[in-house]
Amino acid sequence: KMTVFDTTTWDTIVIVPPKPDASLSQHEDFSYLHLYNFDDLDANYCNSGETRGSVGTAKTCSVSSIGSSGSSSSSEDLAYLLDKADDAVTENGTASYLITRDPRNGAFTFSVNAEYDLLLHIQRSLDDAFRSSGSAASVSDIESSKIIMKSIDEYCLKKQWMYHVGMEKSHFISKFLERSIDAFVERNDRRDGIANKKFVCVELGTYCGYSALVLASTLRQAVLKYGQDAFDFHIYTTEVSSKLLNVAMSIFRLAKMKNYVSTILVQECDPLSTTLKKHLPDDSDGIDFLLLDHAKPMYLPDLMDLESARLLRKHSFVAADNVIFNRLDGYRNHMKRWEAEGFVETNLEEMNLEYSNNLKDGIGD
């Protein structure tokens, strides 16, 4: 059963924020409203923050402090900083948010150059952690990733809502990916005399790289668990905006994860499967784990394209974000039909929309 639950030159990245211009706020690269389906929403809602009623039934999330942002005192050690990264997620993955940002910067508001401002915020957080630990070299890639994700969460809760998966969804994505890894290693253990292949992880929709860091840090943990000889991996992440890929590549470099992630700039005129086949290893059996988090109307067409190209196959794991909030019934019905025929297993994890307390969403896996 299928369980459903280029590399660019890194050394020459220079990000120069463009001068703010009112016209840029209307540009696709800075609005991201096309990622959602707003046909059934009141137009005023998109500018008013978290006021919309629930869609479907979801778990109730309590509200408590996530831990303050800003500079760390010299007495804070790295372990404390890393512990704070998990403060807002309980053992079962349910998030509790204290949102202190200006309501005018709430869900589905977009600020010109927010991605560049976020990079500066991340750099300050890393500087604090490096001073606390003594040096940047003493902070591992997994630790750096956790610090960066924590920094992004703080920015989105305290300053400006942005389109990252956030800590609550990250918990479920990571747990689901761990299931996929365990199944992959078990299959490889049965491949007598056959060299182990790399675990192929594909993400559709890089944005600034948060979800790719979730994948990379989980996969790096698996390498430590199983050993390099038993498990190796690579992540391929696609994006339609070169500006955003530039931001994401900088974040991967700061997280020390650049060697594990290949970024792919997608041309909308080319089928997704054709583009991916140019980048995946020649000896690859296809995609082991797929995360859908790009333009919502493209979930089903791209999924069917990957199925037809046999990049998705038996043992592939697929996760899709925003299936409740965006009412992606076509995608969900497609999976249910496959499940009814005994080809896949499906599940729905219900939770809140990222960085909100009353907008219901979920991940289909």
Side-chain angles (χ1 to χ4, degrees):
K1 291 186 177 181
M2 178 176 75
T3 307
V4 185
F5 230 94
D6 227 305
T7 305
T8 311
T9 301
W10 296 88
D11 298 329
T12 57
I13 298 174
V14 177
I15 293 183
V16 180
K19 190 173 182 179
D21 188 318
S23 65
L24 287 178
S25 63
Q26 304 302 317
H27 192 278
E28 222 178 40
D29 280 351
F30 293 88
S31 73
Y32 286 89
L33 291 179
H34 69 289
L35 293 175
Y36 291 87
N37 301 327
F38 286 113
D39 294 343
D40 60 338
L41 302 186
D42 188 305
N44 293 326
Y45 158 70
C46 298
N47 297 315
S48 62
E50 298 89 354
T51 58
R52 187 173 186 237
S54 63
V55 179
T57 304
K59 300 173 184 175
T60 301
C61 297
S62 59
V63 180
S64 64
S65 176
I66 183 177
S68 60
S69 61
S71 300
S72 306
S73 67
S74 57
S75 62
E76 280 186 317
D77 59 15
L78 181 60
Y80 176 59
L81 287 170
L82 294 175
D83 287 342
K84 284 168 60 178
D86 295 321
D87 280 351
V89 180
T90 62
E91 187 173 338
N92 66 359
T94 303
S96 54
Y97 295 150
L98 178 62
I99 299 174
T100 59
R101 63 179 176 246
D102 188 322
R104 291 171 295 184
N105 298 330
F108 303 106
T109 63
F110 298 89
S111 173
V112 174
N113 298 325
E115 291 82 7
Y116 300 113
D117 188 42
L118 176 65
L119 272 180
L120 296 176
H121 182 81
I122 289 170
Q123 185 64 70
R124 287 192 290 268
S125 298
L126 286 171
D127 289 344
D128 291 341
F130 295 157
R131 281 194 297 270
S132 177
S133 65
S135 69
S138 63
V139 181
S140 71
D141 49 12
I142 297 172
E143 292 168 339
S144 296
S145 296
K146 290 187 70 173
I147 292 167
I148 289 173
M149 289 185 286
K150 166 67 175 176
S151 180
I152 294 173
D153 292 335
E154 287 183 339
Y155 184 89
C156 294
L157 291 168
K158 298 174 183 294
K159 187 168 184 180
Q160 173 63 55
W161 184 91
M162 295 180 75
Y163 181 64
H164 308 286
V165 293
M167 65 199 80
E168 184 181 12
K169 290 179 178 179
S170 295
H171 175 86
F172 287 102
I173 292 171
S174 181
K175 292 298 181 185
F176 188 51
L177 176 56
E178 288 173 0
R179 284 182 52 195
S180 177
I181 294 167
D182 291 342
F184 176 87
V185 172
E186 183 179 351
R187 290 195 306 275
N188 266 353
D189 286 344
R190 297 196 298 263
R191 292 163 62 96
D192 297 333
I194 301 176
N196 290 342
K197 296 179 181 295
K198 278 192 177 183
F199 183 95
V200 174
C201 187
V202 173
E203 174 193 37
L204 305 184
T206 312
Y207 189 37
C208 295
Y210 186 116
S211 49
L213 287 188
V214 174
L215 301 173
S217 56
T218 303
L219 288 159
R220 286 286 294 129
Q221 292 275 17
V223 172
L224 297 178
K225 175 181 177 181
Y226 289 109
Q228 189 78 43
D229 293 338
F231 181 77
D232 198 6
F233 72 91
H234 199 76
I235 299 169
Y236 303 85
T237 180
T238 69
E239 176 57 58
V240 297
S241 167
S242 59
K243 294 183 178 70
L244 289 178
L245 275 188
N246 213 23
V247 172
M249 288 159 58
S250 293
I251 288 178
F252 299 152
R253 176 177 53 81
L254 291 171
K256 306 179 183 179
M257 291 290 190
K258 66 178 184 180
N259 292 333
Y260 306 111
V261 184
S262 291
T263 57
I264 302 172
L265 183 63
V266 174
Q267 304 296 325
E268 295 184 4
C269 58
D270 294 332
L272 177 64
S273 59
T274 302
T275 300
L276 285 177
K277 285 181 177 180
K278 295 176 183 177
H279 295 269
L280 297 183
D282 292 336
D283 63 347
S284 170
D285 291 332
I287 299 170
D288 295 294
F289 188 92
L290 173 67
L291 175 60
L292 299 169
D293 197 16
H294 58 319
K296 309 312 167 186
M298 294 305 298
Y299 276 28
L300 182 56
D302 283 342
L303 180 77
M304 295 177 70
D305 172 43
L306 296 177
E307 289 173 346
S308 298
R310 303 186 66 81
L311 289 176
L312 289 176
R313 71 223 188 283
K314 183 180 180 181
H315 306 308
S316 294
F317 281 59
V318 179
D321 192 15
N322 305 124
V323 295
I324 291 180
F325 186 84
N326 291 99
R327 300 176 181 175
L328 301 182
D329 295 335
Y331 172 88
R332 293 176 63 187
N333 290 337
H334 177 78
M335 288 303 190
K336 288 177 182 177
R337 285 193 296 271
W338 280 118
E339 183 176 39
E341 295 181 23
F343 294 115
V344 305
E345 299 172 3
T346 66
N347 189 36
L348 180 65
E349 298 287 356
E350 299 178 350
M351 61 203 75
N352 283 332
L353 185 73
E354 51 268 19
Y355 309 119
S356 72
N357 284 322
N358 64 345
L359 300 175
K360 305 310 174 187
D361 200 6
I363 296 177
D365 50 37

